[in-house]
Amino acid sequence: MVARAQRLDVKAAPELCCAQSAGQTLQAKPRALVSAGTMPSALPSPKNSDREAWGSRICISSATWRINSDIHPWYDCVGHLDMDTPVSPSSARRGALARCAGYFITAHHSLGRDFISSHPGGDVILNAAGGSIDPFWKIFNIHHKQYVYDILEQYRVGVIDPTDLVNGEVPSAVIDDPFEKDPTRDARMLMHTEKPCNAEPPGEVLNEFLTPNELFFVRNHLWVPDVSDPEEHEVTIVTFDGDEVTFTVRELRQIFKEHSVTAVLQCSGNRRSHMSKQGGDTQGLPWDVGAIGNAKWTGVLLRDVLREVGLDVNEPPEDVQHVQFLGSEAYGASIPIDKAVDRRGDVLLVYQMNDQPLPKDHGAPLRVLVPGHVAARSVKWVKKIILSDEESQSQWQQRDYKCFGPNIKNDPDWSSAPAIQEMPVQSAVTAVRSSGSKISKGADRTNVISTHDADSERTILEGYAFSGGGRTIVRVDVSTDGGRTWDQAELLASPSQGSKSWCWQRWQYSVPAGAVGEGFLVKAVDEAYNTQPEGYGPNWNFRGNLTCGWQRVPANKPEEPQGR
Amino acid sequence: MVARAQRLDVKAAPELCCAQSAGQTLQAKPRALVSAGTMPSALPSPKNSDREAWGSRICISSATWRINSDIHPWYDCVGHLDMDTPVSPSSARRGALARCAGYFITAHHSLGRDFISSHPGGDVILNAAGGSIDPFWKIFNIHHKQYVYDILEQYRVGVIDPTDLVNGEVPSAVIDDPFEKDPTRDARMLMHTEKPCNAEPPGEVLNEFLTPNELFFVRNHLWVPDVSDPEEHEVTIVTFDGDEVTFTVRELRQIFKEHSVTAVLQCSGNRRSHMSKQGGDTQGLPWDVGAIGNAKWTGVLLRDVLREVGLDVNEPPEDVQHVQFLGSEAYGASIPIDKAVDRRGDVLLVYQMNDQPLPKDHGAPLRVLVPGHVAARSVKWVKKIILSDEESQSQWQQRDYKCFGPNIKNDPDWSSAPAIQEMPVQSAVTAVRSSGSKISKGADRTNVISTHDADSERTILEGYAFSGGGRTIVRVDVSTDGGRTWDQAELLASPSQGSKSWCWQRWQYSVPAGAVGEGFLVKAVDEAYNTQPEGYGPNWNFRGNLTCGWQRVPANKPEEPQGR
């Protein structure tokens, strides 16, 4: 009953305060992770001028500072406490300071519920409390991005006294690398970050209806959990009454009927680089068209498992509104109960991918598959499934995977937008086959659009189209004259399994080589006759989620960034 | 068992041929309508040159001509038989000819299944067989449009000998007016056509969350059936096994639990005039923003009724894929079985609208409500409900309510696009409140956007947003600088009933009067983060269906037509 336990902890102690300063003892979980011996005996009092300077981003709680979680959670971990500059780590407050990128910041302050729960690494951040975060950032090197440093600069409270450095670095403890047991990845993958692993395949792979396992995009938020005996891996179902029923993977296979579904998984950041280039900078990994893949998934229906533990799957009680999933590494997300019990929803607990054992990077030994929904809901390495009246409170549900208006540059009211579940209609070009050099590959497409030698008479465009919610793609339109006239691409056969159109629609378009004109524009239409928006600026969102503007493949010259 | 009977008829006699020429007797239904006495004793043999001239639009079956239904069904009724020109109606074949708009055409030829079933008036066309269609077109005056005449011109086979005219017209019989018992409409309605009635309300009506019954848009395909005793009106459920179970409205009320749902009905032609103006001419009625309304509908769940007649609504058999509805006047359409039995689908058999008895124009005494789907599926005056393995074969299912690419000007492969069911995300402006004259009402918005005196300091925009499938509107974006920057409209409270977001989202946006800039652009986003397309040209379709480009309300000058 992890979810309930978390909820109770929070109610009992809304802030996990510094023990000494707030006169409270640490809660069970932090206590196990934070070394009390490194804590300061007192916290500084804020000065009024500081309050003004920091504005609403910092508020005061008793004698401690508390950082509001009103900025992106990736950056919340770089809040600060100490207003004195310069501060020496050899001072009395040394233990209260953490260092990053040459600046002093602190990871040791009043950590509210929002802060910890919204940190992508979960409680892991508490390992750094009272010390340097350097060794952690050497592991979680996803932090080493210019835009992280730019925001970090706002939080600079001082520079480290050089006499305190050893070999140019702040002395820090040696820690274990949680990514040590991550699998080796195929060398052909385009690696965006290694720890955690975020990688997409080269373009030619996306021309296949089924994406090979070893080349399926990897979007890990943390490390890959190490499971010694896959068949004995346990998943626990927590009913709304709080009862727990645990199945091993072996038992799931034995008890329930096996089902196979062909389905796309698409990261909400797919094509983000297109939005950044044409609509303006966004936060997040610069995925090209490859943060998507299509596979045959085999496992058991979540609907069957929920029925087995006593849920009326045809008429679930009103109290049960969401199904939360918790991964072994700390990731969490949820889906609406109606998707989970829909007899045509095809939500699976998966142990096979493309008729092979599920690979480690894709959730072995057991993952959730929520076809038609953003991949962030298909929780990998699932260990707990919780029936609840509320969504997952993880930041992947409450924050990261949402979209806001183009006027919202940061600091949104996170609750004002729903968590992404079903996705909008999408299409992309995965290959341009031409014997000439008429078609530019473009700087941002180098790795995912291949220019092959082909029939010298024709230029051939290939790609995928997809829509959320199982909505069928009914048409793919292509223009070679900047959108003035359009023609239809050929929709290729899609031998899929499942109750709805969960898989992508492969398409192809061929024109005489001399008729390429201004290059190509592509847009798709789904069965609800939703279509893709033309531009990127009017649909820009600061997180760069759900990029689905028309893809433009220009002739002759690389695509120019467009103003917003 | 109407559907099965029709299907059998077709299998047994794929063409309802002229009795004498094909040596067959007419099928039961046509026989009742066609006067055999007016039939010709022989049909002309086609000449090879004619075959070439007419191309694929006419094919030959035995000694008769049959018109392929590969053109728009409204025009199929003007196919021809006789290749001799000029042809005199006083000739031996006089009875085989019908006259329209001064041309000879025929309504008396081999009427194949497609022809009759695809004619909007259903079997009614057979009344004209063997005679002039003039008296019918005087009633069904929806035919009197330039684009109808333009297409008719293609079918001209001759001009009538003036000596055969009486008072300048072809002599024809007096017929009854089936629209005679249509109700009187509110004088405030903007009438597009009277027979059948197609009318939308003035703009200020659309500013209310619930649209008043007498001002709710009327989209009739034929006349309003006259029901003498509403409580004794019968609806027959035809199960997949062919069993029929009949309920009166009184029995429906007695047997089943009553449900109320607040839901939008939107015609697929809503905002068609915007597409015609900005994307190019389209076929169909020039609806403005008022072919939509929101009401509280009360009745019984179709799911409950289907369960009562023996359907397993939680696991319908694979054979049952569609639920067909047949109206008392001849209209027919269908929905997928999954929508019909979805416990959150809220499909109703409705007898009350906004707590009043259902008005005649809206389907009294009983209509279907399919919330989240295009209004064309919410069949009015329903008399038969058929569980089937196939869609309705009516042209409203197979033809009219589909969308094609902007390159398809006519003559599409109708089977290449799915019947519209769920609709795309939509929004529109229903009022601009300004004390000045800064905002143009625009020629096409005269009747639906009111300019009221208002606070002289502010200009206030009001409107609705809506998406199909019960998907919630999560944001309405407004731009006053041509789309360079955006802001969010305020989403107003929507006190609705139902399992999903079936009703529209009213919104309001206010700017200082001096900040109107270039006028307004509006676009909405739904929970699947689908959004409206920017332009009209790239999403133009020749039927003008599902217009949902950004609405533009320009400042100072009326909106200019844009090239495609």
Side-chain angles (χ1 to χ4, degrees), chain B residues 71-79 115 118-122 125 133 137 140-145 147-148 151-152 155 179 193 195-196 198 219-222 283-285 395-396 399-401 414 543:
Chain B
I71 56 171
H72 186 271
W74 286 96
Y75 319 128
D76 279 356
C77 56
V78 294
F115 184 95
S118 72
H119 183 255
I125 193 174
I133 62 170
W137 279 33
F140 301 102
N141 53 23
I142 194 170
H143 297 85
H144 295 300
K145 300 273 187 253
Y147 63 81
V148 176
I151 293 180
L152 194 60
Y155 294 88
F179 293 97
T193 64
K195 295 178 180 182
N198 286 290
R219 200 285 178 245
N220 291 346
H221 294 79
L222 297 161
Q283 295 171 4
L285 298 167
Q395 94 279 9
W396 301 287
R399 295 183 157 223
D400 293 17
Y401 297 123
W414 293 100
R543 292 280 297 130

Coordinates of all heavy atoms in Angstrom, one line a residue, chain B residues 71-79 115 118-122 125 133 137 140-145 147-148 151-152 155 179 193 195-196 198 219-222 283-285 395-396 399-401 414 543:
Chain B
I71 N -21.5 10.0 -58.2 CA -21.6 11.4 -58.1 C -22.5 11.8 -56.9 O -23.1 10.9 -56.3 CB -22.1 12.1 -59.4 CG1 -23.5 11.5 -59.8 CG2 -21.1 11.9 -60.5 CD1 -24.1 12.3 -60.9
H72 N -22.5 13.0 -56.6 CA -23.2 13.4 -55.4 C -24.7 13.0 -55.5 O -25.3 13.2 -56.5 CB -23.1 14.9 -55.1 CG -23.7 15.2 -53.8 ND1 -25.1 15.6 -53.7 CD2 -23.2 15.3 -52.6 CE1 -25.3 15.8 -52.4 NE2 -24.2 15.6 -51.7
P73 N -25.2 12.3 -54.4 CA -26.5 11.8 -54.5 C -27.6 12.8 -54.8 O -28.7 12.5 -55.4 CB -26.7 11.1 -53.1 CG -25.7 11.7 -52.2 CD -24.6 12.1 -53.1
W74 N -27.4 14.0 -54.4 CA -28.4 15.0 -54.7 C -28.6 15.2 -56.2 O -29.6 15.7 -56.7 CB -28.1 16.4 -54.1 CG -28.3 16.5 -52.7 CD1 -27.3 16.3 -51.7 CD2 -29.5 16.7 -52.0 NE1 -27.9 16.4 -50.5 CE2 -29.2 16.7 -50.6 CE3 -30.8 17.0 -52.4 CZ2 -30.2 16.9 -49.6 CZ3 -31.8 17.2 -51.4 CH2 -31.5 17.2 -50.0
Y75 N -27.6 14.8 -56.9 CA -27.7 15.0 -58.4 C -28.0 13.7 -59.2 O -28.2 13.7 -60.3 CB -26.4 15.6 -58.9 CG -26.0 16.7 -58.0 CD1 -24.7 16.7 -57.5 CD2 -26.9 17.7 -57.5 CE1 -24.3 17.7 -56.6 CE2 -26.5 18.6 -56.6 CZ -25.2 18.6 -56.1 OH -24.8 19.5 -55.2
D76 N -27.9 12.6 -58.4 CA -28.1 11.3 -59.1 C -29.5 11.2 -59.7 O -29.7 10.5 -60.7 CB -28.0 10.2 -58.1 CG -26.5 9.8 -58.0 OD1 -25.7 10.5 -58.7 OD2 -26.2 9.0 -57.2
C77 N -30.4 12.0 -59.2 CA -31.8 11.9 -59.6 C -32.0 12.5 -61.0 O -33.0 12.5 -61.6 CB -32.8 12.5 -58.7 SG -32.4 14.2 -58.3
V78 N -30.9 13.1 -61.5 CA -31.1 13.7 -62.8 C -30.3 13.0 -63.9 O -29.9 13.6 -64.9 CB -30.6 15.2 -62.8 CG1 -31.6 16.0 -61.9 CG2 -29.2 15.4 -62.3
G79 N -30.1 11.7 -63.7 CA -29.5 10.9 -64.8 C -30.4 10.9 -66.0 O -31.6 11.3 -65.9
F115 N -28.9 4.0 -56.1 CA -29.6 5.2 -56.5 C -30.7 5.5 -55.5 O -30.8 6.6 -55.0 CB -30.2 5.0 -57.9 CG -30.8 6.2 -58.5 CD1 -30.2 7.1 -59.3 CD2 -32.1 6.5 -58.1 CE1 -30.7 8.2 -59.7 CE2 -32.7 7.7 -58.6 CZ -32.1 8.5 -59.4
S118 N -29.5 6.1 -51.9 CA -28.7 7.3 -51.7 C -29.4 8.6 -52.0 O -28.9 9.6 -51.7 CB -27.5 7.2 -52.7 OG -27.9 7.4 -54.0
H119 N -30.6 8.5 -52.5 CA -31.4 9.7 -52.6 C -31.9 10.2 -51.3 O -32.5 9.5 -50.5 CB -32.6 9.5 -53.6 CG -33.3 10.7 -53.9 ND1 -34.6 11.0 -53.3 CD2 -33.0 11.8 -54.6 CE1 -35.0 12.2 -53.7 NE2 -34.1 12.7 -54.5
P120 N -31.6 11.5 -51.0 CA -32.0 12.0 -49.7 C -33.5 11.8 -49.3 O -33.9 11.7 -48.2 CB -31.6 13.5 -49.7 CG -30.6 13.6 -50.8 CD -31.0 12.5 -51.8
G121 N -34.3 11.8 -50.4 CA -35.7 11.7 -50.1 C -36.2 10.2 -50.1 O -37.4 10.0 -50.0
G122 N -35.2 9.4 -50.2 CA -35.5 7.9 -50.2 C -36.5 7.6 -51.3 O -36.3 8.1 -52.4
I125 N -38.6 9.6 -54.5 CA -38.2 9.9 -55.9 C -39.0 9.0 -56.8 O -39.3 9.4 -58.0 CB -36.7 9.7 -56.1 CG1 -36.3 10.3 -57.5 CG2 -36.3 8.3 -56.0 CD1 -34.9 10.4 -57.7
I133 N -40.7 15.9 -62.8 CA -40.3 16.1 -61.4 C -40.6 17.6 -61.0 O -40.4 17.9 -59.8 CB -38.8 15.8 -61.2 CG1 -37.9 16.7 -62.0 CG2 -38.6 14.3 -61.4 CD1 -36.5 16.5 -61.6
W137 N -40.0 19.3 -57.3 CA -39.0 20.3 -57.0 C -39.6 21.6 -56.5 O -38.9 22.4 -55.9 CB -38.1 20.5 -58.3 CG -37.1 19.4 -58.4 CD1 -37.2 18.1 -58.0 CD2 -35.7 19.6 -58.9 NE1 -36.0 17.4 -58.2 CE2 -35.1 18.3 -58.8 CE3 -35.0 20.6 -59.4 CZ2 -33.8 18.1 -59.2 CZ3 -33.7 20.4 -59.9 CH2 -33.1 19.2 -59.7
F140 N -39.6 20.3 -52.9 CA -38.2 20.1 -52.4 C -37.4 21.2 -53.1 O -36.5 20.9 -53.9 CB -37.7 18.7 -52.7 CG -38.6 17.6 -52.1 CD1 -39.5 16.9 -52.9 CD2 -38.5 17.3 -50.8 CE1 -40.3 15.9 -52.4 CE2 -39.2 16.3 -50.2 CZ -40.2 15.6 -51.0
N141 N -37.7 22.4 -52.7 CA -37.0 23.5 -53.4 C -35.6 23.7 -53.0 O -34.9 24.6 -53.5 CB -37.8 24.8 -53.2 CG -38.0 25.1 -51.7 OD1 -37.3 24.6 -50.9 ND2 -39.0 25.9 -51.4
I142 N -35.1 22.8 -52.2 CA -33.6 22.8 -51.9 C -32.8 22.5 -53.1 O -31.6 22.8 -53.2 CB -33.3 21.7 -50.8 CG1 -31.9 21.9 -50.2 CG2 -33.5 20.3 -51.3 CD1 -31.7 21.1 -49.0
H143 N -33.5 21.9 -54.2 CA -32.8 21.6 -55.4 C -32.5 22.9 -56.2 O -31.7 22.9 -57.1 CB -33.7 20.7 -56.3 CG -33.9 19.4 -55.7 ND1 -34.9 19.1 -54.8 CD2 -33.3 18.2 -55.9 CE1 -34.9 17.8 -54.4 NE2 -33.9 17.2 -55.1
H144 N -33.2 24.0 -56.0 CA -33.1 25.2 -56.8 C -31.9 26.0 -56.4 O -32.0 27.0 -55.7 CB -34.4 26.0 -56.7 CG -35.6 25.3 -57.3 ND1 -35.6 24.9 -58.6 CD2 -36.7 24.9 -56.8 CE1 -36.8 24.3 -58.9 NE2 -37.5 24.3 -57.8
K145 N -30.7 25.4 -56.7 CA -29.5 26.1 -56.4 C -28.6 26.1 -57.7 O -28.7 25.2 -58.5 CB -28.7 25.4 -55.3 CG -29.4 25.2 -54.0 CD -29.1 26.4 -53.1 CE -29.7 26.2 -51.7 NZ -30.9 27.0 -51.5
Y147 N -25.6 25.5 -58.1 CA -24.6 24.4 -58.3 C -25.4 23.1 -58.7 O -24.8 22.3 -59.3 CB -23.8 24.2 -57.0 CG -24.5 23.9 -55.8 CD1 -24.9 22.6 -55.5 CD2 -24.7 24.8 -54.8 CE1 -25.5 22.2 -54.3 CE2 -25.4 24.5 -53.6 CZ -25.8 23.2 -53.4 OH -26.4 22.9 -52.2
V148 N -26.6 23.1 -58.3 CA -27.4 21.9 -58.8 C -27.6 22.0 -60.3 O -27.4 21.1 -61.1 CB -28.8 21.8 -58.1 CG1 -29.6 20.7 -58.7 CG2 -28.6 21.6 -56.6
I151 N -24.5 21.2 -62.4 CA -24.3 19.8 -62.6 C -25.3 19.2 -63.5 O -25.1 18.3 -64.4 CB -24.2 19.1 -61.2 CG1 -23.0 19.5 -60.5 CG2 -24.2 17.5 -61.4 CD1 -22.8 18.9 -59.1
L152 N -26.6 19.7 -63.3 CA -27.6 19.2 -64.2 C -27.3 19.4 -65.7 O -27.6 18.5 -66.5 CB -28.9 20.0 -63.8 CG -30.3 19.5 -64.3 CD1 -30.6 18.2 -63.7 CD2 -31.3 20.5 -63.9
Y155 N -26.1 16.7 -67.7 CA -27.0 15.6 -68.0 C -28.0 15.9 -69.1 O -28.9 15.2 -69.3 CB -27.6 15.1 -66.8 CG -26.6 14.5 -65.8 CD1 -26.0 15.3 -64.9 CD2 -26.3 13.1 -65.9 CE1 -25.0 14.7 -64.1 CE2 -25.4 12.6 -65.1 CZ -24.7 13.4 -64.2 OH -23.8 12.8 -63.4
F179 N -44.7 18.6 -46.7 CA -44.3 19.6 -45.7 C -45.5 20.3 -45.0 O -45.3 21.2 -44.2 CB -43.3 20.6 -46.2 CG -42.0 20.0 -46.6 CD1 -41.8 19.6 -47.9 CD2 -41.0 19.7 -45.7 CE1 -40.6 19.0 -48.3 CE2 -39.8 19.2 -46.0 CZ -39.6 18.8 -47.3
T193 N -33.3 27.1 -45.7 CA -34.3 26.6 -46.6 C -35.5 26.3 -45.8 O -35.4 25.9 -44.6 CB -33.8 25.3 -47.3 OG1 -33.6 24.3 -46.3 CG2 -32.5 25.5 -48.1
K195 N -38.2 24.1 -47.1 CA -38.6 22.8 -47.3 C -37.5 22.0 -47.9 O -37.2 22.1 -49.1 CB -39.8 22.8 -48.3 CG -41.1 23.4 -47.7 CD -42.2 23.5 -48.7 CE -43.4 24.2 -48.2 NZ -44.5 24.2 -49.1
P196 N -36.8 21.2 -47.1 CA -37.0 21.0 -45.7 C -36.5 22.2 -44.9 O -35.7 22.9 -45.4 CB -36.1 19.7 -45.4 CG -35.1 19.7 -46.5 CD -35.8 20.3 -47.7
N198 N -34.2 24.3 -42.7 CA -32.9 24.4 -42.2 C -32.7 25.8 -41.7 O -32.7 26.7 -42.6 CB -31.9 24.0 -43.3 CG -31.8 22.5 -43.6 OD1 -31.4 21.8 -42.7 ND2 -32.4 22.1 -44.7
R219 N -32.2 21.2 -38.5 CA -31.6 20.7 -39.7 C -32.4 19.5 -40.1 O -32.1 18.3 -39.6 CB -30.1 20.3 -39.4 CG -29.2 20.2 -40.7 CD -29.5 19.0 -41.5 NE -28.7 18.9 -42.7 CZ -29.2 18.9 -43.9 NH1 -30.5 19.0 -44.1 NH2 -28.4 18.8 -45.0
N220 N -33.4 19.7 -40.9 CA -34.3 18.6 -41.4 C -33.9 18.2 -42.8 O -33.5 19.1 -43.6 CB -35.7 19.0 -41.4 CG -36.3 19.2 -40.0 OD1 -35.7 18.8 -39.0 ND2 -37.4 19.9 -39.8
H221 N -33.8 16.9 -43.1 CA -33.5 16.5 -44.4 C -34.8 16.3 -45.3 O -34.7 16.4 -46.5 CB -32.8 15.1 -44.3 CG -31.4 15.3 -43.7 ND1 -31.3 15.3 -42.3 CD2 -30.2 15.4 -44.2 CE1 -30.0 15.5 -42.0 NE2 -29.3 15.5 -43.2
L222 N -35.9 16.1 -44.6 CA -37.2 16.0 -45.3 C -38.2 16.7 -44.5 O -37.9 17.7 -43.8 CB -37.5 14.4 -45.4 CG -36.5 13.7 -46.3 CD1 -36.6 12.2 -45.9 CD2 -36.7 13.9 -47.7
Q283 N -20.1 22.9 -51.3 CA -21.5 22.5 -51.6 C -22.2 22.3 -50.2 O -21.7 21.8 -49.3 CB -21.6 21.1 -52.3 CG -21.0 21.2 -53.7 CD -20.9 19.8 -54.3 OE1 -21.3 18.8 -53.7 NE2 -20.3 19.8 -55.5
G284 N -23.5 22.8 -50.2 CA -24.2 22.6 -48.9 C -24.7 23.9 -48.4 O -24.4 25.0 -49.0
L285 N -25.5 23.9 -47.4 CA -26.1 25.1 -46.8 C -25.0 26.0 -46.2 O -24.2 25.5 -45.5 CB -27.1 24.7 -45.8 CG -28.3 23.9 -46.3 CD1 -29.1 23.3 -45.2 CD2 -29.2 24.8 -47.2
Q395 N -27.4 7.3 -47.7 CA -26.4 8.2 -48.2 C -25.9 9.2 -47.2 O -24.8 9.8 -47.3 CB -26.8 9.0 -49.5 CG -27.4 10.3 -49.3 CD -28.8 10.2 -48.9 OE1 -29.3 9.1 -48.6 NE2 -29.5 11.4 -48.8
W396 N -26.7 9.3 -46.1 CA -26.2 10.2 -45.0 C -25.1 9.5 -44.2 O -24.4 10.1 -43.5 CB -27.4 10.6 -44.1 CG -28.5 11.3 -44.9 CD1 -28.4 12.5 -45.3 CD2 -29.7 10.7 -45.2 NE1 -29.6 12.8 -46.0 CE2 -30.4 11.8 -45.9 CE3 -30.4 9.5 -45.1 CZ2 -31.7 11.6 -46.5 CZ3 -31.6 9.3 -45.6 CH2 -32.3 10.4 -46.3
R399 N -22.2 8.8 -47.7 CA -21.8 9.8 -48.6 C -21.7 11.2 -47.9 O -20.6 11.7 -47.6 CB -22.7 9.9 -49.8 CG -22.6 8.7 -50.6 CD -23.5 8.8 -51.8 NE -23.1 7.9 -52.9 CZ -23.0 8.3 -54.1 NH1 -23.3 9.5 -54.5 NH2 -22.6 7.4 -55.0
D400 N -22.8 11.8 -47.7 CA -22.9 13.2 -47.4 C -22.0 13.7 -46.3 O -21.3 14.7 -46.3 CB -24.3 13.7 -47.0 CG -25.2 13.6 -48.2 OD1 -24.9 12.9 -49.2 OD2 -26.3 14.2 -48.1
Y401 N -21.9 12.9 -45.2 CA -21.2 13.3 -44.0 C -19.9 12.7 -43.9 O -19.6 11.9 -43.0 CB -22.1 13.1 -42.8 CG -23.4 13.9 -42.8 CD1 -24.6 13.3 -42.8 CD2 -23.3 15.3 -43.0 CE1 -25.8 14.0 -42.8 CE2 -24.5 16.0 -43.1 CZ -25.7 15.4 -43.0 OH -26.8 16.2 -43.1
W414 N -16.2 7.5 -52.4 CA -16.9 7.7 -51.2 C -16.5 6.7 -50.1 O -16.5 7.0 -48.9 CB -18.4 7.6 -51.4 CG -19.0 8.7 -52.2 CD1 -19.3 8.6 -53.6 CD2 -19.3 10.0 -51.8 NE1 -19.8 9.8 -54.0 CE2 -19.8 10.7 -53.0 CE3 -19.2 10.7 -50.6 CZ2 -20.2 12.1 -52.9 CZ3 -19.6 12.1 -50.6 CH2 -20.1 12.7 -51.7
R543 N -17.5 19.3 -49.6 CA -18.8 19.3 -49.0 C -18.8 20.4 -47.8 O -19.9 20.6 -47.3 CB -19.1 18.0 -48.4 CG -19.3 16.9 -49.4 CD -20.8 17.0 -50.0 NE -21.7 16.7 -48.9 CZ -22.8 17.5 -48.7 NH1 -23.0 18.6 -49.4 NH2 -23.6 17.2 -47.7

